[in-house]
Amino acid sequence: MPLNIVRNDITKMKVDAIVNAANPSLLGGGGVDGAIHRAAGPELLEECRGLGGCETGSAKITGAYRLPCKYVIHTVGPVWHGGLLGERKLLSSCYRESLNLARDAGCESVAFPLISAGAYGYPRDRALDVAVETIGAFLRDHEMTVYLVVFDRASFRIGERRFQAIESYIDDHYVDLRLDKNRRVQSVGFPPTPAPMAYPQECAAPGDLREALDMIDESFSEMLLRKIDEKGMTDAQCYKKANIDRKLFSKIRSDRLYKPSKPTALAFAIALELPLEEARELLEKAGFALSHSSKFDIIVEYFIRQGNYNIYEINEALFAFDQSLLGN
Ligand code: APR
């Protein structure tokens, strides 16, 4: 999955590079800066002394010493002053500059903390949006695996206003199978088992019937490729928008009977911006159905009904509700 959101201590991440939320002196500090210097050992500070500091929005790269990665990329985020002093632009530059340095160093995987979202006071949800948007833009043109490492639960308070609408949608639709074991599951919205495919009414000419029959035999991979063509997308545009890496897409493209996981199948439905019915159809080809006994399914259904196909936004919500993410 090109962009992952994970809960971890960044000093434990086994990636090619981790990013440090430093200050302009690059001589260490508290928070993640302190944690990285403690875990790397004194040699890191020695190397930093020779860098001559770093400007806000810029980034510099060093070795990683005792850390389980190859490089540390030090970037200096903006201090939050209410958002009117170019903070967003500077924060976005931190992610972009760090990713460019990682690319130039040949890194295939990078882990970021939420830069500026601690001592520098950047509101967490806005800091997350800037991170996801900037990393997402970079990943549209580059092959890399990026981790956004969330260290404390508070970074994802579900109470945040933007998750409240999703929370009430879950409350309205979630059917807890454990509570309903004696009652037939009443699912609102659409049947838990996919409805049998209805033939098109005006199925007059045999050709149409044959086409309709072909559609039933159409595999997941065939339907996916057909939809990509119908949407006028390139393969790369589709799998990048689906937060799927090239390797997995090539597997799906070359094996007409490939059976993806549910998060992967749904990620393609989102990338293709399929309406709910067609999303269900694509999912069915992979052997799955959307169900109201799964919060994951309900959250994805919520975004499709809202017409919001931003996979990064959906993944932030899925992460906030402790669900697996869309992509592979
Ligand atoms: N792993 C991952 N994330 C962490 C860790 C860790 N070990 N420790 C803290 N964080 C998270 C915080 O929860 C916060 O969400 O990193 C994010 C950034 O917080 P800070 O480390 O305070 O960084 P920032 O807000 O950019 O302030 C930078 O703080 O530490 C000093 O020297 C640093 O002066 C600079 C300022």
Side-chain angles (χ1 to χ4, degrees):
M1 196 184 293
L3 175 55
N4 300 267
I5 307 176
V6 295
R7 208 183 302 284
N8 201 344
D9 172 347
I10 202 165
T11 63
K12 308 272 187 285
M13 294 292 288
K14 294 183 175 59
V15 289
D16 289 340
I18 64 171
V19 177
N20 179 21
N23 61 58
S25 73
L26 294 188
L27 299 180
V32 73
D33 197 0
I36 288 176
H37 275 277
R38 276 193 301 280
E43 302 88 340
L44 178 60
L45 184 57
E46 268 324 294
E47 186 174 354
C48 285
R49 282 193 208 288
L51 294 178
C54 181
E55 276 174 22
T56 300
S58 299
K60 293 194 175 176
I61 192 167
T62 65
Y65 304 100
R66 299 174 201 172
L67 285 160
C69 57
K70 293 179 196 155
Y71 304 102
V72 177
I73 294 172
H74 308 264
T75 189
V76 180
V79 177
W80 178 255
H81 294 294
L84 302 177
L85 298 181
E87 292 96 319
R88 181 183 179 84
K89 203 157 159 274
L90 284 167
L91 184 57
S92 181
S93 169
C94 286
Y95 287 97
R96 197 170 34 260
E97 292 304 308
S98 301
L99 287 164
N100 289 337
L101 279 180
R103 175 205 56 205
D104 297 348
C107 296
E108 291 178 0
S109 54
V110 184
F112 282 94
L114 267 182
I115 298 162
S116 287
Y120 279 5
Y122 210 109
R124 281 193 173 102
D125 56 339
R126 294 186 193 199
L128 182 75
D129 285 347
V130 175
V132 165
E133 195 182 298
T134 310
I135 297 168
F138 178 86
L139 291 173
R140 270 198 284 284
D141 306 319
H142 300 88
E143 302 290 333
M144 196 183 276
T145 300
V146 181
Y147 296 88
L148 205 43
V149 183
V150 172
F151 186 59
D152 50 2
R153 170 112 209 123
S155 298
F156 272 86
R157 282 188 308 280
I158 287 188
E160 277 171 27
R161 106 192 91 68
R162 61 183 169 156
F163 294 140
Q164 272 150 16
I166 299 171
E167 190 139 49
S168 51
Y169 190 83
I170 292 173
D171 292 345
D172 294 345
H173 293 80
Y174 180 58
V175 175
D176 185 337
L177 285 178
R178 285 160 301 151
L179 301 179
D180 288 83
K181 57 182 177 304
N182 306 322
R183 271 190 292 131
R184 209 169 63 75
V185 169
Q186 296 291 335
S187 96
V188 178
F190 48 82
T193 46
M197 185 162 167
Y199 289 107
Q201 295 313 318
E202 65 292 341
C203 184
D208 286 359
L209 181 58
R210 200 172 308 114
E211 210 172 283
L213 287 172
D214 285 351
M215 298 269 267
I216 290 186
D217 302 337
E218 189 180 42
S219 70
F220 170 83
S221 166
E222 287 162 336
M223 180 174 174
L224 172 64
L225 298 176
R226 173 170 63 84
K227 284 289 171 192
I228 291 175
D229 292 344
E230 284 173 9
K231 299 278 179 182
M233 296 172 86
T234 64
D235 290 352
Q237 279 169 337
C238 183
Y239 69 73
K240 285 184 177 293
K241 224 179 134 191
N243 199 24
I244 299 277
D245 60 38
R246 182 161 39 120
K247 254 185 301 199
L248 176 59
F249 184 81
S250 317
K251 261 194 228 158
I252 295 173
R253 169 170 264 290
S254 55
D255 173 2
R256 69 174 289 274
L257 298 177
Y258 187 89
K259 285 279 185 228
S261 69
K262 189 174 202 175
T264 295
L266 268 176
F268 280 115
I270 294 294
L272 292 163
E273 302 194 3
L274 298 182
L276 204 50
E277 274 313 303
E278 287 185 51
R280 270 186 352 93
E281 205 187 314
L282 183 66
L283 207 53
E284 192 185 312
K285 298 286 180 189
F288 300 108
L290 279 176
S291 151
H292 279 181
S293 57
S294 149
K295 287 189 182 176
F296 173 85
D297 291 13
I298 292 174
I299 292 169
V300 177
E301 177 198 318
Y302 168 83
F303 278 91
I304 293 178
R305 284 188 189 279
Q306 297 290 319
N308 181 347
Y309 292 94
N310 180 327
I311 198 159
Y312 299 123
E313 248 184 79
I314 299 172
N315 275 343
E316 284 177 40
L318 288 168
F319 182 84
F321 285 90
D322 281 332
Q323 301 299 311
S324 48
L325 306 187
L326 288 177
N328 71 297

